[in-house]
Amino acid sequence: MNISTLHAPLERLFSVDTLADYLGVSPKTLYDWRLKRTGPPAIKVGNQLRWRPAAVEAWLDARAQR
């Protein structure tokens, strides 16, 4: 069995700088949101934080409904 048949293609993850630019906030704001657990869910990859674009979009959609 080939692993590529088990999983859909991986989407490119946002880095801190990329996501900060995308959202129009500073990287510090992303770190603050993470500490307060108010921002989009992050994934730890080694010692780096990364965000799935789909999770960021879901977080934005949830905030728009408030």
Side-chain angles (χ1 to χ4, degrees):
M1 189 178 287
N2 187 337
I3 196 163
S4 65
T5 61
L6 295 175
H7 302 286
L10 293 176
E11 59 186 341
R12 190 158 182 98
L13 301 174
F14 285 124
S15 67
V16 173
D17 290 334
T18 304
L19 182 58
D21 185 55
Y22 179 74
L23 295 176
V25 299
S26 71
K28 182 181 180 320
T29 297
L30 290 177
Y31 291 120
D32 290 345
W33 286 347
R34 181 165 164 79
L35 289 175
K36 295 175 186 174
R37 298 185 189 270
T38 59
I43 302 166
K44 197 106 192 233
V45 179
N47 64 350
Q48 303 291 314
L49 291 176
R50 295 291 184 259
W51 288 263
R52 286 189 174 109
V56 173
E57 290 300 321
W59 176 79
L60 287 169
D61 289 345
R63 295 194 49 85
Q65 295 174 3
R66 290 184 182 176

